């Protein structure tokens, strides 16, 4: 079924594959499915004292053709919810068959990108426990690849363009010429920036047309994040590379190798894979130095920084996933709090 579904999506929108649809059909999504009996956490968000971690149970997969890019989780959702700033968590199996692939905080609520074999939809929740669909899979063109907050709006890019909402209820659909392959998005000021898995970067100012930027030697843009008036782009070159883009000149003004993806915090830039921190000064990104644990994802809400630590974090049981919280903008982190014991399934 998965191969048939992806075949129909390719024929509907070839932008999902920058090469050739007939070749892509030789790489059905089912080849990239990994079965597990454990919860696999993959996204975290915070609103005040409420912290929500989403995981997938039973099955996870790496999206995109050849097991790369796109939304990763499939299977039934599992949520870990804290109402005390991350001190303790409750494990919840919500009444939602789709995996919640990404969660963001917007307007005091949580919004999630839900993913299954039929496509993606956008959900909303006030407490992280009960979720309501606010944009259907048909509305997202079945393949939204990201969900972000920028300039008091929610945005969800897809292969066909992007959705935008000021209230999380009503969504405006913006088509783009040529489409995007596995897009990721960021916004700062009046600019929207989109990176794609085939290494292109495009910028729109003030709601205008997207103009492509030159990214020489870089491919597979996996992350775009705002940094003041600039953006940081994580891409593949010979190694992982972070490029800082000046959106006024639309040029790369700084490149940092062997780093990324990153989380921008009030204390500086945290590298996911190493936990190292780099200061941000008027002259740019400083040197990364040892600071905290490696982590898979993170969230920032004011001075509260929440990290979803990779399993086996220092001070936790071997193989455990944990959450580490900073209440001073990421300058220091409290001890790791293990997520509740996983319920093993047959």
């Amino acid at each position: 079924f998965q191969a048939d579904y992806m075949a129909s999506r390719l024929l509907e929108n070839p932008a999902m594959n920058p090469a050739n649809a007939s070749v892509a059909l030789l790489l059905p999504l089912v080849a990239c499915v990994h079965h597990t009996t454990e919860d696999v956490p993959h996204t975290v968000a915070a609103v005040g004292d409420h912290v929500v971690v989403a995981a997938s149970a039973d099955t996870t997969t790496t999206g995109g053709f050849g097991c790369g890019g796109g939304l990763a989780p499939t299977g039934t959702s599992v949520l870990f919810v804290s109402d005390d700033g991350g001190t303790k968590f409750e494990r919840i199996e919500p009444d939602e068959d789709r995996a919640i692939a990404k969660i963001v905080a917007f307007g005091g609520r949580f919004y999630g990108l839900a993913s299954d074999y039929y496509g993606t939809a956008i959900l909303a929740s006030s407490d992280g426990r009960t979720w309501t669909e606010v944009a259907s899979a048909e509305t997202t063109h079945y393949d939204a690849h990201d969900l972000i907050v920028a300039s008091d709006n929610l945005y969800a890019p897809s292969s066909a363009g992007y959705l935008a909402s000021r209230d999380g209820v009503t969504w405006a659909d913006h088509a783009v010429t040529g489409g995007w392959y596995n897009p990721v998005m960021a916004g700062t000021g009046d600019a929207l920036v989109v990176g794609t898995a085939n290494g292109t970067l495009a910028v729109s100012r003030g709601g205008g047309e997207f103009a492509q930027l030159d990214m020489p030697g870089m491919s597979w843009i996996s992350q775009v994040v705002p940094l003041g008036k600039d953006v940081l782009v994580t891409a593949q070159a010979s190694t992982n590379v972070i490029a800082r883009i000046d959106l006024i000149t639309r040029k790369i003004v700084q490149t940092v190798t062997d780093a990324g993806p990153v989380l921008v915090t009030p204390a500086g830039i945290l590298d996911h894979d190493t936990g190292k921190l780099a200061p941000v000064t008027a002259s740019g990104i400083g040197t990364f130095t040892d600071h905290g644990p490696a982590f898979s994802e993170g969230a920032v809400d004011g001075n509260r920084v929440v990290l979803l630590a990779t399993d086996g974090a220092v001070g936790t049981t071997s193989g455990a996933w944990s959450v580490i919280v900073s209440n001073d903008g990421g300058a220091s982190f409290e001890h790791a709090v293990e997520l509740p014991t996983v319920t093993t399934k047959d």
Side-chain angles (χ1 to χ4, degrees), residues 249-274:
T249 64
R250 300 193 178 191
K251 295 184 180 298
I252 298 174
V253 294
Q254 185 179 8
T255 301
V256 180
T257 59
D258 297 319
V262 295
L263 178 70
V264 177
T265 75
I269 300 172
L270 280 172
D271 181 69
H272 283 216
D273 293 341
T274 64

Side-chain angles (χ1 to χ4, degrees), residues 3-23:
D4 292 340
Y5 168 73
M6 293 309 297
S8 67
R9 296 295 297 123
L10 278 167
L11 294 174
E12 177 184 335
N13 193 340
M16 292 180 69
N17 181 4
N20 184 294
S22 62
V23 174

Side-chain angles (χ1 to χ4, degrees), residues 88-171:
K88 60 181 181 294
F89 285 85
E90 176 187 2
R91 184 183 184 276
I92 298 171
E93 295 187 16
D95 185 18
E96 173 58 59
D97 292 334
R98 295 166 291 190
I100 300 178
K102 184 173 182 179
I103 301 176
V104 298
F106 176 73
R109 291 167 61 83
F110 295 103
Y111 289 83
L113 200 55
S115 171
D116 66 9
Y117 300 134
Y118 295 96
T120 53
I122 300 172
L123 313 178
S125 175
S126 60
D127 59 5
R129 291 173 168 82
T130 303
W131 296 78
T132 303
E133 185 174 279
V134 293
S136 67
E138 182 178 7
T139 301
T140 68
H141 299 279
Y142 301 97
D143 67 332
H145 285 266
D146 200 2
L147 183 64
I148 70 156
V149 177
S151 303
D152 298 323
N153 285 275
L154 280 165
Y155 294 97
S158 71
S159 63
Y162 66 95
L163 296 176
S165 177
R166 292 183 178 275
D167 58 10
V169 177
T170 304
W171 298 83

